[in-house]
Amino acid sequence: MSDDEFMRLEKEGKLAWLTFTREDHLNAMNNAGVDQINRIAMALREDSDVRVVIIRGAGRAFCTGIDLKELAADRIDMDYHRCWEQALRLFETMEKLVIVGMHGYCLGGALQLALAADIRVSTAECQIGLPAIKESLIPGLATMRLPRYIGWGRAKKMILGGQNIDGREALRIGLVDHIVSEEKFFSHLDEIADDYLTACSVGTRMSKLATNQAFDMDYETLRQYYFELQQRAQFSPDAAEAKRAYLGKREPKWQ
């Protein structure tokens, strides 16, 4: 386990929890935090034991994005944005399921991170938005990811208007996948993560990789990529376990 003022990483079996711990700043992300999340994301990508990653925020909020005090003091440069986007891409493409828990506030870079994850869990009251335009900034590659979840029109409204929506509206438009109560939020989040872990076979992880390319590859390229991933899935130890479980009339136990 690593632990400092920005975030901590904990692991138990096939689960990993990345918790933002900068509670006094509503877990806003500064330069040191962006550097650390990059290092953690790279370590998780290479960790062969972890199957599901849960990203959450301690205290009153998941995260409020870029540290506005650092920005106002001219301590944020382009290296921040490059480093941040690299971390998001690592989570987006790693062979793990990445689940983000959103409570209190999920703003700016926090929503960018959630969009790079696979599953989003939110409270009904969580304030969700991309206020970058209020600082005359672009909200990262949420400009690419957000339209894929909620459509071009709704995405432009959120990006160009800079207004927040709550978790209920986010569920309605397909921006979040699960709504849970504020009370015992972290317990609910863990329960959902356990459900996804139960389903997290090699086939699940290969399905993530294939689905990630749905809007980027032409048919023939995606077809060939699918065949490569399907071969990995069908001839994996998990596929052999699925056959044994079927014949034994029991639930499979994935590696």
Side-chain angles (χ1 to χ4, degrees):
M1 181 178 75
S2 63
D3 196 347
D4 65 19
E5 67 173 301
F6 304 110
M7 61 195 73
R8 69 175 180 268
L9 177 65
E10 301 164 288
K11 294 188 291 182
E12 182 178 329
K14 298 175 183 178
L15 287 170
W17 293 265
L18 174 56
T19 307
F20 300 146
T21 57
R22 209 169 172 234
E23 296 182 43
D24 292 344
H25 298 79
L26 294 179
N27 297 319
M29 198 67 62
N30 60 10
N31 287 296
V34 166
D35 179 68
Q36 190 186 7
I37 196 172
N38 240 293
R39 288 186 279 109
I40 289 176
M42 284 188 278
L44 285 169
R45 180 187 61 183
E46 302 304 320
D47 192 323
S48 60
D49 295 327
V50 172
R51 295 288 179 264
V52 175
V53 178
I54 304 104
I55 307 177
R56 60 192 183 181
R60 297 187 294 118
F62 169 50
C63 176
T64 52
I66 197 168
D67 188 324
L68 295 179
K69 290 184 179 179
E70 296 278 303
L71 183 65
D74 289 328
R75 289 196 285 267
I76 301 291
D77 59 22
M78 285 305 299
D79 286 342
Y80 176 101
H81 302 293
R82 293 187 182 97
C83 194
W84 181 243
E85 290 297 343
Q86 177 175 289
L88 267 55
R89 189 60 175 164
L90 287 166
F91 286 117
E92 189 169 41
T93 59
M94 65 175 55
E95 293 183 13
K96 331 278 182 187
L97 295 191
V98 180
I99 301 172
V100 166
M102 303 153 59
H103 78 289
Y105 296 94
C106 178
L107 302 177
L111 181 51
Q112 295 171 33
L113 172 57
L115 289 167
D118 302 302
I119 300 295
R120 284 151 295 282
V121 181
S122 177
T123 62
E125 298 79 14
C126 182
Q127 293 298 298
I128 301 166
L130 295 168
I133 59 162
K134 297 178 182 179
E135 312 303 327
S136 192
L137 296 176
I138 298 169
L141 289 182
T143 50
M144 175 192 75
R145 295 181 178 103
L146 185 61
R148 296 181 177 193
Y149 281 104
I150 66 173
W152 205 8
R154 288 192 181 107
K156 281 193 171 184
K157 181 179 179 181
M158 288 188 68
I159 291 167
L160 304 181
Q163 302 300 312
N164 298 342
I165 61 174
D166 63 20
R168 296 181 190 86
E169 176 65 6
L171 179 68
R172 188 186 73 81
I173 64 177
L175 181 52
V176 303
D177 307 295
H178 301 271
I179 289 288
V180 298
S181 68
E182 187 80 35
E183 185 180 4
K184 297 183 179 179
F185 170 72
F186 296 108
S187 295
H188 294 311
L189 181 59
D190 284 346
E191 289 170 4
I192 289 172
D194 283 338
D195 288 340
Y196 280 99
L197 180 61
T198 299
C200 194
S201 64
V202 171
T204 305
R205 300 194 296 279
M206 295 305 99
S207 295
K208 166 183 173 168
L209 300 185
T211 305
N212 278 355
Q213 300 301 326
F215 296 101
D216 296 321
M217 289 183 177
D218 61 75
Y219 171 77
E220 188 58 34
T221 304
L222 183 56
R223 187 171 73 99
Q224 292 303 319
Y225 184 50
Y226 150 70
F227 289 148
E228 294 171 12
L229 296 176
Q230 185 70 290
Q231 182 165 348
R232 289 181 62 186
Q234 186 167 347
F235 299 101
S236 67
D238 280 353
E241 163 62 8
K243 295 171 188 175
R244 290 191 296 269
Y246 173 77
L247 294 172
K249 298 181 179 180
R250 59 174 175 81
E251 293 298 318
K253 297 180 180 178
W254 309 124
Q255 286 193 4

